[in-house]
Amino acid sequence: MLSYPEIDPVAIALGPFKVHWYGLMYVVGFVAAWWLGCRRAARIGLTRDDVSDLLFYAAVGVVGGGRLGYALFYGLDQWLGDPLWVFKVWDGGMSFHGGLIGVLVAALLFARRKGLAFFTLTDFVAPLVPVGLGAGRIGNFINHELPGRVTDLPWGMPFPGYGPEPRHPSSLYEALLEGVVLFVILWWVSAQPRRRGLVSGLFLICYGAFRFSVEFVRLPDPQLGFIALGWMTMGMLLSLPMILFGILLVVWSRRQPVDGKL
């Protein structure tokens, strides 16, 4: 059994002003996406300023979609009881699946503005996302969020506030799969000439499969519990359409033109 590392969730405190590690992880994700995007921007006819604009669109989509998605999927009763609660982002609560929808809407608007094919743009964006996902999961770990289920594996660790039993470090599993592994897959595939939509489809399939798998060792959200079949969580349920649509997109991409390597 390992010990849970004692890391203060507050990275910087200057009087009443506090900067949390979780918030800094968002900064890491967007800075990394900007840097990686600038390296490849010219290949789809974008400039560095265009990448900055795209990330602004994406940031609005992530925050707006993530918060609305959390309220709809995980906190509907609370939202109905207090309609203004959805604006209290400082209380926590963001949904990846909601953030994904927000980013797709932002990408659609940006693609129309720039005259780009939608899936050319999403193929460009997809490899930029995993670094932020991985950083965000590390932020969850530092913030004592997303506790795992009890395990007897040697790397299990007691989770703060959940007793002395060793638990899966599920947020670190997600950081590895959604961050490192997903980045390697998408960056490598997108570096080759491939048909439009393939990278986007692979993103949906891989993320959905990784998230679905980790949910087996992650505690379900306490306000929801298991929502189907006695073992299915909301994260699993939301990941299934991603996997299905990703498969359909990969099949569809076989009839699309070949985009150059990104």
Side-chain angles (χ1 to χ4, degrees):
M1 182 175 68
L2 302 178
S3 298
Y4 203 98
E6 296 182 6
I7 304 175
D8 190 339
V10 177
I12 303 171
L14 299 173
F17 178 75
K18 296 181 180 181
V19 178
H20 289 73
W21 283 110
Y22 186 74
L24 288 178
M25 293 300 104
Y26 273 82
V27 176
V28 168
F30 281 109
V31 170
W34 178 83
W35 181 73
L36 292 170
C38 286
R39 292 185 58 185
R40 291 181 161 185
R43 300 179 185 179
I44 62 168
L46 298 180
T47 66
R48 294 167 72 95
D49 287 341
D50 290 332
V51 174
S52 298
D53 290 344
L54 174 59
L55 288 182
F56 174 76
Y57 276 64
V60 173
V62 165
V63 176
R67 185 60 178 170
L68 287 172
Y70 182 83
L72 181 62
F73 302 138
Y74 297 96
L76 185 58
D77 289 342
Q78 187 170 359
W79 190 11
L80 293 176
D82 179 11
L84 296 180
W85 166 77
V86 72
F87 298 107
K88 300 177 182 178
V89 294
W90 54 88
D91 285 345
M94 297 287 283
S95 162
F96 165 80
H97 296 90
L100 175 62
I101 294 172
V103 169
L104 291 176
V105 172
L108 179 61
L109 296 175
F110 187 86
R112 287 182 174 178
R113 174 186 162 193
K114 287 297 182 180
L116 290 171
F118 176 69
F119 285 113
T120 293
L121 183 61
T122 58
D123 284 351
F124 171 76
V125 170
L128 313 182
V129 175
V131 176
L133 292 178
R137 294 311 185 192
I138 292 174
N140 290 139
F141 183 75
I142 295 173
N143 231 22
H144 306 158
E145 298 170 339
L146 312 184
R149 304 184 196 184
V150 174
T151 179
D152 57 2
L153 292 171
W155 55 82
M157 56 185 68
F159 197 90
Y162 285 80
E165 300 88 358
R167 296 180 177 274
H168 286 282
S170 54
S171 53
L172 296 185
Y173 296 167
E174 292 189 72
L176 175 63
L177 293 172
E178 300 168 10
V180 179
V181 176
L182 186 57
F183 173 78
V184 170
I185 292 171
L186 298 182
W187 194 259
W188 179 77
V189 172
S190 61
Q192 323 299 321
R194 73 282 172 279
R195 296 190 181 275
R196 182 180 300 160
L198 175 62
V199 177
S200 301
L202 287 176
F203 174 87
L204 295 175
I205 293 170
C206 291
Y207 178 89
F210 293 155
R211 177 66 181 272
F212 192 95
S213 300
V214 174
E215 287 285 325
F216 281 106
V217 297
R218 176 174 149 180
L219 280 180
D221 296 275
Q223 72 274 28
L224 297 178
F226 296 109
I227 62 172
L229 306 176
W231 56 268
M232 182 170 284
T233 65
M234 179 61 79
M236 291 176 172
L237 185 63
L238 294 175
S239 295
L240 287 175
M242 287 185 66
I243 297 171
L244 177 59
F245 188 74
I247 293 171
L248 294 175
L249 189 53
V250 168
V251 173
W252 173 85
S253 73
R254 297 178 65 182
R255 298 184 178 182
Q256 300 309 303
V258 174
D259 279 341
K261 62 182 181 179
L262 294 175

